[in-house]
Amino acid sequence: MLLLLLGIIVLHVAVLVLLFVSTIVSQWLIVNGRTADLWQNCSTLEVPSSFQCVTSSTNEWLQSVQAMMILSIIFSVLSLFWFFCQLFTLTKGGRFYITGFFQILAGLCVMSGAAIFTVRHTDWQPATSDTAFGFAYILAWVAFPLAIISGVIYVILRKRE
């Protein structure tokens, strides 16, 4: 049982790390050597290893992606907090419904944010032949099923002695 709890906690922390990295790192979109993320657009200058960064657009859809990613982090942190609270206060045989609910909500938020970005990124950066999604965007999509799986595990999990 202890090994199962440790595995669940490791999965949850992995989801949190993926959410933090995908929200913070400037690699959501790569266009002609320029990188763009939810917060800023950076390009390499003529001088090697020198960057120029400007703040991202104020489009409503981009702000909704920012909000969804921040909400997913908040819900996942709340879920981890509720897990530890319920671990010590829940009666024997009880299920971790609140924990699972917040973790599934975090997964749905990250999915919504990544889906909005997928559909609307061409409004922000014109699509060219060398436009590619960056690793932070991919990490957001990886965090989505892991958060959902983690939430479902919490809902199924029963507390034992």
Side-chain angles (χ1 to χ4, degrees):
M1 185 64 180
L2 185 63
L3 200 58
L4 177 67
L5 287 176
L6 184 63
I8 291 170
I9 292 171
V10 167
L11 176 63
H12 196 123
V13 170
V15 168
L16 263 174
V17 168
L18 289 174
L19 290 175
F20 271 112
V21 170
S22 66
T23 303
I24 295 171
V25 175
S26 181
Q27 287 286 327
W28 274 65
L29 198 62
I30 302 169
V31 182
N32 297 330
R34 291 181 295 138
T35 61
D37 72 340
L38 306 178
W39 312 104
Q40 60 187 359
N41 295 329
C42 296
S43 57
T44 307
L45 296 176
E46 303 278 328
V47 180
S49 71
S50 170
F51 290 98
Q52 176 184 12
C53 296
V54 295
T55 57
S56 288
S57 171
T58 58
N59 292 333
E60 291 86 9
W61 68 267
L62 188 60
Q63 290 176 349
S64 67
V65 173
Q66 292 170 346
M68 287 294 153
M69 293 304 293
I70 290 172
L71 279 174
S72 69
I73 291 172
I74 291 170
F75 287 142
S76 191
V77 167
L78 280 174
S79 176
L80 190 61
F81 172 76
W82 276 111
F83 175 68
F84 285 119
C85 287
Q86 287 183 316
L87 192 60
F88 296 111
T89 61
L90 199 63
T91 61
K92 180 181 173 186
R95 292 184 187 243
F96 296 89
Y97 287 123
I98 297 172
T99 303
F101 172 74
F102 278 110
Q103 190 67 359
I104 290 171
L105 209 54
L108 294 176
C109 282
V110 72
M111 187 247 343
S112 299
I116 292 169
F117 189 86
T118 303
V119 172
R120 300 297 299 260
H121 77 277
T122 54
D123 297 348
W124 180 37
Q125 299 284 335
T128 62
S129 61
D130 51 343
T131 300
F133 290 110
F135 76 90
Y137 169 82
I138 295 167
L139 288 180
W141 276 113
V142 169
F144 158 62
L146 291 178
I148 296 293
I149 290 168
S150 174
V152 169
I153 289 172
Y154 282 130
V155 170
I156 294 171
L157 185 66
R158 287 184 185 265
K159 183 177 178 184
R160 295 185 184 170
E161 287 185 15

